[in-house]
């Protein structure tokens, strides 16, 4: 481990950057979450995250400020804060009209469009719980999630609804099409549409993968708004003139917390880009909109790095602050950005369950490439052994965080046992990651402690893929692992046995791959499938030994 730390040449803050946090140790010593929350919690103890995100700015006189730029190929739209507020109010009234009440789960299944963001806010505005779904999900993935928490309403569009098996989702009462919502008549005279709720009331539910079982519904509370706001201000470093772009879809926690809540709580102009990844389109977007803050993931940076000659063709000089999340950020990428773009990439570590940044790099502090940064003020990290005791600095152990903090999830929907598993050591949240912390507080990611696969920053359950694979008539048994990959971090690799009567062929393997892709989602479909005569198993329980597969 000392090797890692010595190898990490520090990168000091660059001159010309704007700093708003210049004394980490002092701020850490004086920090209190209660102080941070005062602005958001009303005198009567109530809060509404959607009000704080949009309405507040209109009330404070910023209604004409540009809230968002939407770009999808040649299509371009711009909305002011006032326009976003009015549209959100209308959506909220439509939802009320069809009977949505506080605490109901309302799902959003839309591409990255303004309507996707507006729907999420409208749901929250009336006190319901928003369930945003990643746009690439297929029928089964959609069904499983809505069924798990009994979603009552779904906002989607006329194309994506083809991937919604509504006849198999009994709780679903209404499907609203984004194309039609605007023309639904509502009584606009209805006084304030905002439902003031308790900080502990449900805000948003994100489904994420564990290493066993079905995806779990991570429920966050309105209190998270405090965490979103202050990390947006300090870590994203948002100032009034910033044009901010987070590349993640709001179906993932990065896309909601740092694509929607944090930037808008800080009154930034956000960029929503539709369509798929292309280095040209991304660079063009940065140049055209003069993007100043850019939050993305290592896989995307590695893809850009592999097309380095493109850099010269674009003017990217507007970019002043770059951040990364979701998977290990290799030092090579940090050095590349530093040398070629003149910017540092600031790694951030957190999880769906944590609701906001926990380990970060501030623009004002040294970066040690290879580390994820240091704990956010108000956050205390521990490296624990198997008994839950704190290990000395420099040891590898389980990365844990002292509870509570405002962004921390409120529950795993309908599964107290899974929820309690995170808190098996008194006073700690257990992340499932293994890490080292050095003498200067910097935290170095080592690996997951379980079998969860991280491909392009997306968390994939081997269990989910295996369960799907064995539904295919040709597949006997299946073991799924993450295979190291230079661009995507890991790729999904499946080892299977064939049932008798089936012969190995390219066509069959492709058919099996498509079976997973078309039922679950493209990003979880195995990139490689290898056929074995038998899979390695434990002697007693007969469980498939993924570790042994991985060792191959
Ligand atoms: O293993 C860690 C990895 O992603 C996991 C969390 O995934 P998810 O809930 O999908 O949230 C991703 C974005 C918030 C973690 O347990 N991870 C996240 N950030 C980093 C990371 N691994 C290494 N470096 C990071 N900065």
């Amino acid at each position: 481990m000392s090797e890692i730390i010595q190898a990490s040449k520090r990168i000091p803050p660059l001159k010309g950057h704007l700093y708003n946090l210049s004394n980490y140790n002092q701020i850490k010593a004086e920090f209190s979450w209660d102080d941070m929350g005062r602005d958001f919690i009303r005198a009567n103890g109530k809060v509404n995250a959607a009000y704080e995100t949009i309405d507040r700015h209109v009330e404070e006189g910023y209604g004409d400020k540009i809230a968002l730029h939407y770009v999808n190929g040649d299509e371009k739209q711009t909305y002011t804060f006032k326009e976003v507020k009015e549209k959100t109010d209308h959506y909220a009234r439509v939802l009320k009209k069809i009977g949505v009440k506080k605490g109901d789960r309302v799902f959003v299944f839309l591409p990255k469009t303004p309507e996707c963001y507006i729907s999420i806010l409208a749901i929250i505005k009336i006190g319901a719980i928003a369930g945003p779904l990643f746009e690439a999900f297929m029928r089964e993935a959609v069904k499983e999630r809505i069924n798990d928490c009994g979603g009552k309403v779904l906002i989607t569009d006329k194309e994506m609804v083809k991937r919604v098996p509504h006849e198999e989702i009994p709780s679903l009462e209404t499907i609203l099409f984004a194309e039609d919502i605007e023309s639904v008549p509502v009584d606009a005279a209805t006084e304030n549409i905002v439902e003031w709720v308790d900080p502990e009331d449900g805000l948003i539910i994100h489904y994420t993968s564990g290493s066993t079982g079905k995806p779990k519904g991570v429920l966050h509370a309105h209190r998270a708004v405090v965490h979103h706001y202050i990390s947006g201000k300090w870590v994203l470093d948002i100032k009034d003139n910033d044009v901010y772009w987070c590349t993640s879809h709001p179906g993932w926690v990065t896309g909601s917390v740092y694509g929607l809540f944090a930037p808008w709580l800080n009154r930034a102009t956000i960029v929503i880009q539709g369509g798929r990844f292309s280095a040209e389109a991304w660079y063009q977007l940065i140049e055209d909109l003069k993007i100043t803050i850019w939050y993305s993931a290592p896989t995307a940076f590695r893809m850009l790095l592999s097309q380095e000659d493109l850099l010269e063709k674009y003017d990217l000089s507007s970019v002043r602050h770059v951040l990364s999340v979701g998977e290990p950020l290799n030092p090579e990428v940090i050095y590349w950005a530093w040398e070629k773009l003149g910017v540092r990439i600031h790694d951030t570590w957190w999880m769906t369950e944590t609701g906001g940044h926990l380990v970060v790099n501030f623009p004002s502090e040294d970066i040690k490439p290879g580390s994820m940064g240091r704990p956010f003020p108000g956050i205390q990290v521990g490296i624990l052994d198997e008994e839950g005791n704190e290990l000395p600095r420099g040891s590898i152990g389980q990365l844990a965080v002292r509870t509570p903090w405002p962004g921390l999830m409120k529950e795993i929907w309908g599964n107290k046992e899974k929820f309690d598993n995170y808190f098996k050591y008194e006073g700690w949240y257990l992340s499932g990651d293994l890490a080292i912390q050095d003498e200067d507080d910097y935290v170095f990611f080592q690996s997951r402690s379980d079998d969860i696969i991280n491909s392009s920053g997306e968390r994939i359950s081997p269990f989910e893929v295996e369960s799907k694979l064995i539904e295919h008539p040709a597949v006997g048994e299946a073991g799924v692992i993450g295979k190291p990959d230079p661009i995507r971090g890991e790729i999904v690799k499946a080892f299977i046995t064939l049932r008798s009567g089936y012969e190995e062929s390219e066509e069959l393997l492709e058919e099996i791959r498509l079976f997973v892709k078309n039922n679950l989602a493209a990003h979880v479909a195995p990139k490689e499938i290898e056929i074995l005569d038998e899979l390695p198993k434990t002697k007693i329980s007969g469980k498939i030994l993924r570790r042994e597969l991985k060792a191959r």
Side-chain angles (χ1 to χ4, degrees), residues 436-449:
I436 294 170
Q437 187 171 33
D438 75 7
E439 297 293 340
D440 303 327
D441 290 350
Y442 285 78
V443 181
F444 294 73
F445 178 84
Q446 301 299 299
S447 67
R448 282 291 302 175
S449 66

Side-chain angles (χ1 to χ4, degrees), residues 225-278:
V225 76
V226 178
H227 195 162
H228 300 166
Y229 169 75
I230 195 64
S231 54
K233 188 176 162 87
W234 288 352
V235 184
L236 305 179
D237 197 34
I238 292 171
K239 305 281 194 300
D240 233 10
N241 295 325
D242 279 311
V243 180
Y244 170 90
W245 182 34
C246 168
T247 56
S248 177
H249 183 278
W252 304 123
V253 77
T254 304
S256 72
V257 172
Y258 294 106
L260 188 166
F261 297 117
W264 269 348
L265 284 162
N266 283 281
R267 222 194 298 130
T269 297
I270 69 165
V271 174
I272 303 175
Q273 191 236 18
R276 306 199 62 164
F277 172 85
S278 117

Side-chain angles (χ1 to χ4, degrees), residues 208 253-254 325-328 347-353 372 431 433 445 448 454 457 459:
T208 190
V253 77
T254 304
V325 68
E327 34 168 348
D347 198 8
T348 57
W349 174 83
W350 58 296
M351 304 175 67
T352 307
E353 293 88 336
M372 308 190 289
S431 69
D433 286 354
F445 178 84
R448 282 291 302 175
N454 189 333
R459 203 162 136 180

Side-chain angles (χ1 to χ4, degrees), residues 468-511:
K468 185 47 62 190
L469 282 166
I470 56 174
E471 280 178 28
H472 189 281
V475 179
E477 291 176 317
V480 169
I481 59 151
K483 177 180 162 183
D485 180 81
I487 299 280
R488 296 179 178 276
E490 289 182 328
I491 55 164
V492 178
K493 165 138 196 186
F495 294 89
I496 59 169
T497 59
L498 288 185
R499 285 181 185 276
S500 55
Y502 287 92
E503 290 277 313
E504 175 168 2
S505 72
E506 279 303 314
E507 293 75 47
L508 179 63
L509 292 183
E510 182 58 10
E511 185 191 308

